[in-house]
């Protein structure tokens, strides 16, 4: 019973300070963004439509990530408030699990960096000499995404290494769904990914936008590319396919007919996504 009872974790003042600092920076940057748009009358500029079509999918990825982390922080807060031992349920080593303050710290930190990138990249007009936009500011979102990936894969014991590696291990098990016995954290993460389909599509857009060189002229020609459209469907299907395979594995291991019904649900979702892409 002692193992099931949640244990109190010592909170760090530096985490609380960092969370408050980045939350304040986020609020200030949002206010600055609104004032800059109003002062420059950006909504009436000719390049506003082009900006939204090409740059909004780029920055929306960070919006999805921050929103998801904020929701997860809310989950952790209520789990702790009602004394749910989520570290035991998820299989964390006692004392290494993240609290809601740590998740808020990461989410507001990422939001601050993303908003700095947005504010730095509000030019609506091309450089008259070069005929394109400033490469440095156009590459800021890509640099931020690469920074997130580097931090996630960093082997050094910084920024909650145990939690990062736990996420990577669980992600690997989700990808190889039918080869491993499905644990709670596996289908929980896969379920979360089914809600982040648009975020995965944004990652695909990054590859197209920067790989094809559209960022130089701030264009969005990805939709006219057959390869992009094919992977647009594949990327959307992967989370549901992972859950389908998990249901098949659980049906095989547990002989629970409910898993078969769940698998059918995800299969029908894949069909619906295919129909949506076919008629889009």
């Amino acid at each position: 019973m002692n193992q099931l009872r949640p244990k109190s974790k010592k909170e760090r003042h530096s985490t609380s300070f960092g969370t408050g600092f980045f939350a304040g920076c986020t609020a200030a940057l949002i206010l600055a963004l609104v004032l800059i748009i109003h002062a420059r009358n950006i909504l009436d500029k000719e390049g506003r439509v082009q900006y939204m079509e090409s740059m909004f999918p780029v920055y929306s990825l960070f919006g999805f990530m921050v929103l998801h982390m904020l929701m997860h922080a809310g989950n952790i807060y209520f789990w702790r408030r009602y004394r749910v031992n989520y570290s035991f349920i998820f299989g964390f080593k006692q004392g290494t699990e993240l609290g809601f303050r740590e998740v808020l710290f990461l989410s507001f930190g990422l939001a601050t960096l993303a908003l700095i990138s947005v504010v730095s990249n509000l030019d609506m007009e091309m450089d008259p000499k070069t005929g394109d936009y400033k490469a440095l500011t156009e590459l800021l979102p890509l640099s931020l995404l690469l920074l997130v990936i580097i931090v996630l894969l960093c082997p050094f014991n910084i920024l909650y290494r145990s939690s990062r590696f736990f996420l990577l291990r669980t992600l690997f098990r989700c990808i190889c769904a039918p080869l491993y016995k499905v644990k709670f954290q596996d289908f929980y993460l896969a379920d979360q990914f089914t809600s982040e389909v648009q975020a995965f599509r944004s990652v695909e857009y990054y590859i197209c936008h920067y790989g094809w060189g559209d960022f130089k002229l701030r264009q969005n020609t990805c939709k006219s590319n057959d390869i992009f459209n094919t992977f647009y469907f594949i990327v959307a299907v992967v989370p549901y396919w992972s859950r389908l395979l998990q249901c098949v594995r659980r049906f095989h291991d547990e002989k629970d007919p409910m898993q078969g019904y769940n698998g059918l649900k995800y299969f029908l979702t894949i069909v619906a996504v295919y129909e949506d892409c076919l008629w889009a």
Side-chain angles (χ1 to χ4, degrees):
M1 292 300 294
N2 289 332
Q3 191 177 15
L4 296 176
R5 187 176 295 114
K7 298 180 181 179
S8 59
K9 183 180 178 182
K10 186 178 180 180
E11 303 290 348
R12 294 184 177 181
H13 295 294
S14 58
T15 302
S16 299
F17 173 80
T19 302
F21 175 77
F22 284 124
C25 290
T26 300
L29 286 168
I30 291 175
L31 178 60
L33 181 62
V34 173
L35 292 177
I36 290 173
I37 292 174
H38 179 73
R40 295 183 182 178
N41 202 20
I42 290 178
L43 295 179
D44 294 330
K45 294 289 183 66
E46 293 182 0
R48 68 186 187 280
V49 176
Q50 185 180 11
Y51 181 89
M52 292 300 295
E53 290 180 350
S54 61
M55 299 306 298
F56 181 78
V58 170
Y59 289 113
S60 64
L61 172 62
F62 301 109
F64 288 126
M65 294 170 64
V66 171
L67 180 61
H68 198 104
M69 287 192 291
L70 289 175
M71 294 298 101
H72 186 60
N75 285 338
I76 295 176
Y77 171 78
F78 285 106
W79 289 338
R80 282 198 171 184
R81 181 174 181 179
Y82 294 103
R83 301 186 64 79
V84 176
N85 194 352
Y86 65 93
S87 62
F88 175 78
I89 296 173
F90 282 95
F92 290 114
K93 184 179 179 181
Q94 193 71 36
T96 62
E97 73 280 2
L98 295 183
F100 70 93
R101 289 184 179 86
E102 287 85 354
V103 179
L104 287 176
F105 170 75
L106 294 174
S107 59
F108 283 126
L110 179 60
T112 298
L113 294 176
L115 285 169
I116 290 174
S117 178
V118 172
V119 171
S120 303
N121 197 15
L122 281 178
D123 292 330
M124 294 291 126
E125 299 177 357
M126 291 184 177
D127 189 329
K129 295 182 179 179
T130 61
D132 55 14
Y133 294 89
K134 295 179 181 179
L136 179 61
T137 55
E138 295 298 315
L139 289 172
L140 282 176
L142 178 62
S143 302
L144 181 55
L145 178 60
L146 292 176
L147 176 63
V148 171
I149 295 174
I150 290 172
V151 170
L152 182 62
L153 300 176
C154 179
F156 302 110
N157 191 17
I158 57 174
L159 286 177
Y160 317 115
R161 182 179 63 176
S162 60
S163 296
R164 290 188 285 108
F165 282 15
F166 180 85
L167 174 62
L168 292 174
R169 287 194 301 269
T170 307
L171 176 60
F172 178 77
R173 292 172 65 93
C174 290
I175 296 173
C176 304
L179 304 179
Y180 294 93
K181 182 178 176 62
V182 180
K183 299 181 180 179
F184 176 80
Q185 59 266 30
D186 300 332
F187 68 78
Y188 178 85
L189 182 62
D191 265 338
Q192 298 297 306
F193 283 158
T194 58
S195 302
E196 293 294 335
V197 169
Q198 199 57 44
F200 293 133
R201 283 176 166 174
S202 296
V203 174
E204 181 195 4
Y205 179 78
Y206 265 83
I207 298 173
C208 173
H209 185 68
Y210 289 100
W212 268 252
D214 286 352
F215 72 96
K216 296 178 181 178
L217 299 176
R218 197 176 283 175
Q219 296 176 341
N220 185 356
T221 61
C222 296
K223 286 289 186 178
S224 60
N225 189 293
D226 292 336
I227 298 177
F228 177 86
N229 291 328
T230 301
F231 278 94
Y232 195 75
F233 163 71
I234 295 174
V235 167
V237 162
V238 167
Y240 301 109
W241 180 253
S242 176
R243 281 296 290 128
L244 172 60
L245 294 179
Q246 286 180 343
C247 291
V248 171
R249 177 59 190 255
R250 292 188 68 185
F251 178 77
H252 176 268
D253 292 341
E254 304 171 11
K255 303 298 187 294
D256 182 3
M258 186 57 67
Q259 299 303 324
Y261 298 140
N262 278 338
L264 179 61
K265 176 183 68 176
Y266 289 110
F267 175 76
L268 293 177
T269 304
I270 293 174
V271 174
V273 172
Y274 173 75
E275 292 291 334
D276 179 67
C277 293
L278 189 64
W279 296 103

